[in-house]
């Protein structure tokens, strides 16, 4: 059964008031939405609703990572604590599978759900539902890697809904496969760090901080991700000064180029010592003293301080910035309408006739967008195909030399002629690893390098079109009433920021991809999105994973023919045969992938086109409604004008109150930190 109600420093901090700044900001945004609706600004009201919903759905993303068998799943079961409802886990002490051999098949993201569920998300973006029982019994790695690949090679990530109190507090926790255990699973872990707010890297005290595992962890951590280092105390290892000195010098001095250890507090470098097994047992038995003895309580307090301080302020600031920009749109429309009430009626009627052709011309502008996106789609497709063909040619060139320098393990054994089947499989496995590694490296570097300038150029062209539309509406308002933008009024909410946001969201598959004004500039925002896109999405986009994963099986089968013979030169013949068979497959791979590349590039650009076209069309619709409203206001009788003027004055006051409330929420978030 599930553990009893368990305390957690993170949960207690969040429930105990850490969410108040968010609640205050939401209330202020809802106030702005009400003003927009009262002014019949439907699109601005919808935009503000999106900001509110994104702020409410914003989560703390926390990933636990490290070399395989460091105790990640045990630690995570302790961190997840108690559940909000009773759950039968069939005797398991937590939802994460624990085994004495590498157990975690692929990334698992745990989010709150009162009714447990499991979804296995595949590389082709389809999903399959599993029961919790199926997950606990069937998600563990097989002892044979080929069997594991057959069962899990197509699964990108497990999504788990689970009633953990920690997740109810707004935290999504990711359990990652062991680093250096398998190339593809390591790639999936790297992609996950790009969307993580904090990464917990686990080491075990009895085989502590090898250079390779530290370098692997550093290379996988996403830029801007806060890193917490946890040493899992195995076998009841006590924390003494000898252990502290070793960890400090090994990690802080040698890895981070810090000073020598002279008795410093390791927590100042976010390094903590935790007995994960004790922590799990104590939390699941309701032993608060045991949780504290394990070191988990102290760690949770420091993690909570980060999640509710620096991190919350940064994320809250993003959405407050967007809401403030929308408030500027409201302010401008109030100003436009007040100007219309004072305008000369005869001159306005004359101007209205003159602007009708201009409105028609603006309405026709979105028709240009499909041609623009089609042009960039064709370029992206052609350039990715050329780059992929080039990559395959490089792999074909380098493979013979690589396999020649690789010694087949069974080739060194006595009676190796009897081991030729095993040697063939070893050659196939190594070739598959080499090819897969090169493709994955390209997905992170070369593919993103190809797409980045192209996508940036596309966004800038769309941004120019949007700026033209906004400028033409400004000219119309100037003609109608003499109103023009106040250069000192602060930043206007620009559809350009939303265009960047839409493109970034599609590229990284992240609905919260909104970027605040000036956050690294448009090029920076798009560049980051394409970089994340290149890390993981390109693999799925090109369908490479499924093509490469099954090569060892097919290749090993092909090697069984024509290899019977004496042991002299056997390893060399096996390698030559393996390279020959692989080269046949590689030679045809670009053609095999051409249709897959075309389809997936087309799908991706169609998605971007749909999002951006809707944004531009919505902009035009709202501006047209505002122009009509300006004209209607001017036609009112004097007493109606006075009532409308009072309504606009009241709206201005309400707008000021909402803006003050937004800034107070930000200030409070800073104080919490």
């Amino acid at each position: 059964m599930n553990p009893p109600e368990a305390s957690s420093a993170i949960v207690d901090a969040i429930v105990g008031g850490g969410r108040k700044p968010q609640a205050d900001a939401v209330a202020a945004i809802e106030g702005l939405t009400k003003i927009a609706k009262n002014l019949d600004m439907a699109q601005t009201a919808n935009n503000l609703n999106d900001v509110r919903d994104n702020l409410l759905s914003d989560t703390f993303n926390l990933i636990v990572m490290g070399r395989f068998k460091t105790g990640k799943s045990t630690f995570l079961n302790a961190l997840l604590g108690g559940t909000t409802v009773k759950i039968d886990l069939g005797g398991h002490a937590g939802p994460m599978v624990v085994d004495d051999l590498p157990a975690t098949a692929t990334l698992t993201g745990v989010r709150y759900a009162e009714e447990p569920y499991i979804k296995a998300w595949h590389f082709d973006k389809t999903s399959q539902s599993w029961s919790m029982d199926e997950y606990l019994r069937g998600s563990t790695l097989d002892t044979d890697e080929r069997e594991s690949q057959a069962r899990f090679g197509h699964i990108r990530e497990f999504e788990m809904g689970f009633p953990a109190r920690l997740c109810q507090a707004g935290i999504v926790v990711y359990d990652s496969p062991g680093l250096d255990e398998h190339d593809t699973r390591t790639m999936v872990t790297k992609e996950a760090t790009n969307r993580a707010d904090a990464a917990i890297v686990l080491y075990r005290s009895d085989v502590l901080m090898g250079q390779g595992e530290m370098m692997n962890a550093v290379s996988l951590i996403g830029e801007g991700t806060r890193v917490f280092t946890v040493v899992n105390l195995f076998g009841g290892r006590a924390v003494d000064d000898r252990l502290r000195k070793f960890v400090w010098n090994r990690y802080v001095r040698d890895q981070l180029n810090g000073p020598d250890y002279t008795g410093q507090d390791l927590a100042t470098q976010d390094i903590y010592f935790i007995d994960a097994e004790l922590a799990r047992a104590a939390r699941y038995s309701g032993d608060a003293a045991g949780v504290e003895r394990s070191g988990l309580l102290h760690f949770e307090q420091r993690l909570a301080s980060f999640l509710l301080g620096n991190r919350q302020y940064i994320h809250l600031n993003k959405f407050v910035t967007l809401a403030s920009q929308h408030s500027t749109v409201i302010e401008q429309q109030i100003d436009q309408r007040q100007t219309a009430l004072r305008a000369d009626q005869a001159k306005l009627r004359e101007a209205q006739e003159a602007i009708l052709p201009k409105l028609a011309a603006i309405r026709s502008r979105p028709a240009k967008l499909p041609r623009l996106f089609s042009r960039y789609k064709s370029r992206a497709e052609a350039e990715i195909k050329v780059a992929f063909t080039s990559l395959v040619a490089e792999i074909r060139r380098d493979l013979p030399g690589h396999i020649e320098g690789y010694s087949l393990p069974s080739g060194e054994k006595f009676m190796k002629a009897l081991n030729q089947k095993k040697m063939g499989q070893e050659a196939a496995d190594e070739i598959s690893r080499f090819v897969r590694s090169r493709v994955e490296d390209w997905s992170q570097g070369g593919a993103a390098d190809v797409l980045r300038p192209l996508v940036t150029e596309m966004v800038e062209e769309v941004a120019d079109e949007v700026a033209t539309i906004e400028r033409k509406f400004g000219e119309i308002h100037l003609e109608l009433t003499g109103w023009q933008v106040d250069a000192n009024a602060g930043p206007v909410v620009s559809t350009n920021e939303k265009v960047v946001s839409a493109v970034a969201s599609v590229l990284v598959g992240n609905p919260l991809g909104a970027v605040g004004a000036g956050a690294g500039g448009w090029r920076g925002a798009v560049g980051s999105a394409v970089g994340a896109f290149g890390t993981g999405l390109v693999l799925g986009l090109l369908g490479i994973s499924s093509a490469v994963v099954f090569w060892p099986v097919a290749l090993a089968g092909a090697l069984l023919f024509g290899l019977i013979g004496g042991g002299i030169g056997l390893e060399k013949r096996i390698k030559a045969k393996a390279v020959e068979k692989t080269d046949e497959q590689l030679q045809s791979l670009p053609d095999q992938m051409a249709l897959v590349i075309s389809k997936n590039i087309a799908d991706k650009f169609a998605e971007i086109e749909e999002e951006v076209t809707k944004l531009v069309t919505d902009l035009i619709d709202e501006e047209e409604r505002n122009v009509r409203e300006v004209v209607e206001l001017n036609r009112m009788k004097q007493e109606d004008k006075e009532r409308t003027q009072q309504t606009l004055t009241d709206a201005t006051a309400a707008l000021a109150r909402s803006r003050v409330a937004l800034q107070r929420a930000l200030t409070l978030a800073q104080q919490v930190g």
Side-chain angles (χ1 to χ4, degrees):
M1 298 295 287
N2 65 295
E5 190 72 12
S7 178
S8 164
I10 303 173
V11 175
D12 294 343
I14 293 175
V15 173
R19 286 292 189 186
K20 188 178 187 306
Q22 182 194 68
D24 290 350
V26 166
I29 292 168
E30 288 174 345
L32 291 173
T33 306
K34 183 178 179 181
I35 298 169
K37 286 180 177 177
N38 289 340
L39 295 173
D40 196 28
M41 298 173 63
Q43 189 53 45
T44 297
N46 290 338
N47 291 340
L48 285 163
N49 277 331
D50 288 343
V51 174
R52 179 206 60 195
D53 292 346
N54 286 344
L55 178 55
L56 284 171
S57 63
D58 187 31
T59 55
F60 299 147
N61 294 321
L62 183 65
I63 186 169
V64 180
M65 56 193 293
R67 189 175 179 274
F68 63 91
K69 299 318 299 169
T70 56
K72 294 186 303 298
S73 297
T74 299
F75 171 79
L76 189 49
N77 280 332
L79 195 65
L80 285 169
T83 56
T84 58
V85 295
K86 290 185 177 181
I87 298 296
D88 186 355
L89 294 176
H92 290 266
M96 298 293 102
V97 178
V98 177
D99 193 69
D100 62 342
L101 294 174
T104 305
T106 191
L107 191 75
T108 297
V110 186
R111 60 191 67 242
Y112 185 78
E114 193 166 294
E115 186 68 30
Y117 71 86
I118 300 289
K119 277 187 181 179
W121 287 98
H122 306 149
F123 278 95
D124 63 4
K125 299 183 183 179
T126 61
S127 66
Q128 180 182 6
S129 294
W130 290 32
S131 68
M132 180 62 75
D133 184 59
E134 285 176 315
Y135 177 81
L136 291 171
R137 287 187 294 104
S139 67
T140 307
L141 286 170
D142 199 278
T143 53
D144 187 325
E145 176 55 33
R146 288 193 292 277
E147 288 297 321
S148 291
Q149 280 299 311
R151 290 171 56 200
F152 303 113
H154 62 296
I155 297 176
R156 182 189 190 91
E157 179 178 330
F158 284 110
E159 176 188 334
M160 176 188 292
F162 191 72
R165 291 188 67 228
L166 180 66
C167 298
Q168 188 187 34
I171 296 175
V172 178
V173 185
Y174 291 91
D175 185 22
S176 65
L179 301 181
D180 216 19
E181 194 271 324
H182 190 274
D183 291 342
T184 300
R185 290 191 279 274
T186 298
M187 268 290 296
V188 172
T189 298
K190 177 173 178 58
E191 184 190 6
T193 66
N194 287 320
R195 58 180 185 261
D197 297 295
I200 301 172
V201 181
L202 241 70
Y203 301 92
R204 53 185 289 170
S205 61
D206 56 340
V207 283
L208 188 54
M209 291 185 166
Q211 187 63 27
E213 66 176 324
M214 284 197 297
M215 291 301 294
N216 281 335
V218 168
S219 68
L220 290 181
I221 299 296
E223 184 179 353
T225 302
R226 179 73 168 267
V227 179
F228 292 86
T229 300
V230 171
V231 176
N232 187 6
L233 301 170
F234 267 66
R237 174 69 160 89
V239 180
D240 53 27
D241 206 53
R242 182 168 172 266
L243 179 59
R244 293 189 190 95
K245 182 176 182 179
F246 178 89
V247 172
W248 179 281
N249 287 339
R250 185 77 167 161
Y251 182 69
V252 179
R253 186 192 67 188
D254 298 342
Q255 190 69 33
L256 304 181
N257 297 317
D260 286 338
Y261 178 72
T262 55
Q264 297 95 324
D265 180 4
L266 274 70
T268 61
Q269 298 293 323
D270 286 327
I271 302 171
Y272 304 89
F273 298 94
I274 299 173
D275 186 330
E277 187 59 52
L278 172 60
R280 179 180 66 168
R283 178 141 292 166
Y284 276 68
S285 63
D287 178 8
V291 172
E292 185 168 4
R293 283 198 314 276
S294 73
L296 182 63
L297 181 62
H298 176 56
F299 167 75
E300 286 182 332
Q301 290 168 341
R302 296 299 293 263
L303 181 60
S305 176
F306 162 72
L307 292 176
L308 295 174
N310 311 53
R311 187 271 177 201
Q312 187 184 55
Y313 175 78
I314 290 168
H315 280 249
L316 189 64
N317 183 58
K318 176 174 69 175
F319 295 112
V320 166
T321 298
L322 290 171
S324 297
Q325 291 174 338
H326 288 301
S327 77
T328 304
V329 169
I330 298 174
E331 181 181 45
Q332 286 191 344
Q333 294 212 7
I334 290 173
D335 194 24
Q336 288 170 356
R337 295 177 192 193
Q338 288 175 328
T339 304
L341 290 171
R342 299 188 297 267
D344 181 270
Q345 199 171 81
K347 288 183 178 179
L348 190 142
R349 278 199 301 269
E350 184 180 336
Q352 182 185 2
E353 293 298 320
I355 67 167
L356 290 177
K358 295 181 180 180
L359 284 174
I362 293 174
R363 278 196 300 270
S364 70
R365 296 193 76 95
K368 299 178 180 179
L369 293 176
R371 293 193 296 275
L372 183 153
F373 286 113
S374 177
R375 176 160 40 92
Y376 282 100
K377 181 209 73 168
S378 297
R379 282 180 55 189
E381 180 183 330
E383 292 183 28
I384 284 291
K385 283 180 180 178
V386 168
F388 183 64
T389 300
S390 215
L391 168 73
V392 172
E394 291 172 4
I395 292 173
R396 291 176 63 197
R397 179 197 66 203
D398 297 342
L399 179 60
H402 173 78
I403 202 67
E404 183 181 347
Y406 176 75
S407 296
L408 303 180
S410 297
E412 301 173 359
K413 296 179 180 177
F414 181 67
M415 297 294 288
K416 58 185 177 183
L418 301 179
N419 293 323
Q420 61 180 297
K421 181 178 179 180
K422 191 170 183 181
M423 291 169 68
Q425 185 62 65
E426 290 167 354
D429 286 343
E430 178 58 23
I431 286 175
S432 179
R433 189 206 63 75
F434 175 76
V435 173
R436 187 172 57 242
S437 174
R438 290 289 292 268
V439 171
E440 290 171 349
D441 288 346
W442 175 76
S443 77
Q444 297 173 64
D449 290 343
V450 167
L451 289 172
R452 188 176 290 109
L454 186 148
V455 174
T456 301
E457 184 182 336
M458 179 184 73
V459 170
E460 289 182 336
E461 191 168 337
V462 175
D464 286 343
E465 177 63 21
V466 170
T468 299
I469 292 171
E470 292 179 325
R471 187 178 66 253
K472 288 186 177 298
F473 272 115
E475 292 169 357
I476 285 173
H477 281 290
L478 184 61
E479 265 187 75
L480 278 175
T481 65
W483 180 91
Q484 57 186 330
V485 176
D486 181 0
N488 299 316
V492 180
V493 65
S494 172
T495 303
N496 287 328
E497 275 100 20
K498 296 189 70 180
V499 168
V500 173
S501 172
V503 174
S505 297
V506 171
L507 288 176
V508 301
N510 175 15
L512 300 182
V515 291
W522 297 350
R523 289 179 178 83
V526 173
S528 297
V530 175
F533 173 71
T535 299
L537 194 56
V538 169
L539 282 175
L541 178 72
L542 301 182
I544 296 303
S545 295
S546 59
V548 176
V549 159
F550 295 107
W551 277 9
V553 177
L555 195 55
L559 293 176
L560 291 178
F561 300 98
L563 290 178
I564 301 297
I568 299 175
L570 178 61
E571 181 173 351
K572 186 175 182 179
R573 295 201 308 275
I574 287 175
K575 289 179 178 179
K577 188 77 170 178
V579 169
E580 177 190 339
K581 290 296 181 183
T582 302
D583 195 66
E584 291 173 6
Q585 296 184 38
L586 286 171
Q587 192 170 1
S588 61
L589 188 60
D591 289 337
Q592 292 173 6
M593 289 292 106
L595 289 177
V596 177
I597 291 172
S598 296
K599 179 183 183 307
N600 286 285
I601 289 277
D603 289 348
K604 189 58 58 179
F605 273 78
E607 196 177 346
I608 293 172
E609 179 183 337
E610 181 180 2
E611 289 288 324
V612 172
T613 301
K614 182 179 184 304
L615 284 173
V616 175
T617 302
D618 288 345
L619 164 70
I620 293 172
D621 288 346
E622 174 143 303
E623 286 291 347
E624 272 200 291
R625 282 195 302 272
N626 188 46
V627 169
R628 289 194 296 271
E629 180 68 17
V630 163
V631 173
E632 290 303 316
L633 285 173
N634 189 261
R635 291 174 177 169
M636 286 180 175
K637 295 178 181 178
Q638 186 57 38
E639 59 268 26
D640 292 333
K641 285 185 177 182
E642 289 174 0
R643 281 194 297 270
T644 301
Q645 180 62 59
Q646 186 58 52
T647 299
L648 294 173
T649 300
D650 293 343
T652 300
L655 184 68
R657 289 193 296 270
S658 292
R659 283 173 159 174
V660 169
L662 284 174
Q663 293 308 310
R664 282 178 179 165
L666 265 186
T667 301
L668 181 58
Q670 247 179 337
Q671 290 171 349
V672 169

